[in-house]
Amino acid sequence: MKIRVLGASGSDIPGHHLSSFLLNNKILFDAGGVTSSLSFTAQQKIEHIFITHAHLDHIRDIPFLADNIILSGKSKRINIYSIKEVIDDIKKHLLNYRLWPDFTVIPDVKNSILDLKIIHEEKSILLDGYKITAYRMNHTVPAVGFLVEKEGRSFFYTGDTGPAINTWKKFLNKKLNALIIEVSLPDKMKDLATKTGHLTPRLLFEDLKLLNQKPEKIFITHIKPLYKKAIERELKKYSDYKIEILQGRESIKI
């Protein structure tokens, strides 16, 4: 498995792209920074998008991606997967003909550019040889993370989350080759992080103590750039874990 990090920032500022992770050129996890990171040709290879939650920094480029595809003149459909609450929010608040045209019925229902598909928590789907399973995370809106497995290798991408003890209990004996997880704020902002459904370094590793097996590698995402240096210093305390802070534009091989 090869993951191309299109964006991994918790803020949209020059040089930083929002959350987007592309698996083997076809499967996208979150869509915050897609169209500014990929060529038209690369955008047209995307077939599936898994959305963790409906906050704008994770869904922003869905409309622009659809627009680019229909303007290309090629017949193409992209499937968008998430739990019902997230799919409902995308339909109601984004693709509603007010904020943006509804590409789930353009050019017509049978040939629409986008197809919204509801998946269920902890019910795996098989897609291009990947087993993908959604798990509920702890955020201010309905949110999930995705466990991706293929041929004995696996990674888990959380999207946005605060402490999620109930979820990690389900991973007690699970071997993860990679964990892609957010740390948005430094430890001094623990109260704000908890209130807004985010993690600090200390909150993250308090949760991970529950696991009987450490993830082989932990990739940190969604850092607020204003606090990047403070978070980097705090993460150094956990040297018994293999940690990499994602900047965007990396390639991860699993």
Side-chain angles (χ1 to χ4, degrees):
M1 292 189 281
K2 183 178 179 181
I3 301 169
R4 183 176 172 185
V5 182
L6 306 182
S9 177
S11 299
D12 188 21
I13 60 176
H16 296 75
H17 295 286
L18 299 173
S19 298
S20 304
F21 298 82
L22 185 60
L23 174 61
N24 289 0
N25 296 319
K26 291 184 178 181
I27 302 176
L28 187 67
F29 293 89
D30 282 337
V34 183
T35 53
S36 59
S37 302
L38 291 178
S39 67
F40 280 108
T41 300
Q43 289 176 38
Q44 291 168 3
K45 293 179 181 179
I46 296 171
E47 297 180 0
H48 310 282
I49 304 176
F50 287 81
I51 298 294
T52 58
H53 65 292
H55 276 160
L56 190 59
D57 58 327
H58 294 256
I59 65 170
R60 186 186 66 181
D61 280 1
I62 291 173
F64 303 115
L65 179 61
D67 193 51
N68 287 343
I69 289 171
I70 198 167
L71 291 175
S72 73
K74 295 183 179 180
S75 178
K76 171 80 176 183
R77 170 171 280 187
I78 296 178
N79 300 306
I80 298 178
Y81 302 84
S82 195
I83 55 174
K84 185 178 187 302
E85 298 99 315
V86 176
I87 293 296
D88 287 348
D89 282 344
I90 292 172
K91 181 72 171 178
K92 181 179 179 180
H93 299 296
L94 184 65
L95 304 173
N96 59 7
Y97 276 115
R98 295 182 68 86
L99 285 186
W100 204 256
D102 184 359
F103 279 100
T104 66
V105 295
I106 296 174
D108 57 70
V109 174
K110 290 184 178 181
N111 301 289
S112 62
I113 300 298
L114 302 178
D115 188 11
L116 303 181
K117 293 181 175 292
I118 294 172
I119 59 176
H120 301 281
E121 295 171 40
E122 301 182 41
K123 300 291 185 181
S124 302
I125 65 170
L126 294 176
L127 191 65
D128 292 344
Y130 299 97
K131 179 182 176 183
I132 302 175
T133 313
Y135 288 85
R136 179 73 65 154
M137 303 310 295
N138 173 24
H139 199 39
T140 54
V141 295
V144 293
F146 295 105
L147 175 65
V148 182
E149 302 170 281
K150 185 177 184 180
E151 297 175 355
R153 307 291 290 175
S154 66
F155 72 89
F156 186 60
Y157 167 59
T158 65
D160 289 3
T161 188
I165 292 175
N166 291 335
T167 298
W168 297 121
K169 285 180 178 179
K170 297 170 184 177
F171 284 74
L172 286 180
N173 298 304
K174 186 72 178 177
K175 179 64 174 178
L176 293 173
N177 300 110
L179 173 62
I180 305 172
I181 190 166
E182 74 121 276
V183 172
S184 296
L185 298 167
D187 287 332
K188 69 179 181 180
M189 302 179 74
K190 175 183 176 182
D191 290 345
L192 179 61
T194 302
K195 183 178 181 179
T196 58
H198 290 294
L199 291 172
T200 71
R202 184 177 302 158
L203 290 174
L204 167 60
F205 288 99
E206 284 176 356
D207 268 13
L208 294 188
K209 285 179 182 177
L210 292 170
L211 302 182
N212 293 326
Q213 298 186 69
K214 294 178 182 177
E216 283 185 9
K217 190 111 181 235
I218 298 173
F219 296 93
I220 302 297
T221 184
H222 207 268
I223 288 177
K224 299 293 184 181
L226 183 63
Y227 304 112
K228 182 174 181 290
K229 290 183 179 179
I231 292 171
E232 285 178 340
R233 287 195 300 269
E234 291 169 355
L235 287 171
K236 288 180 180 178
K237 300 174 185 177
Y238 304 96
S239 57
D240 51 334
Y241 289 86
K242 293 182 179 180
I243 302 169
E244 180 179 337
I245 297 173
L246 296 174
Q247 311 294 331
R249 300 188 178 182
E250 297 94 343
S251 289
I252 300 171
K253 291 184 179 181
I254 299 172

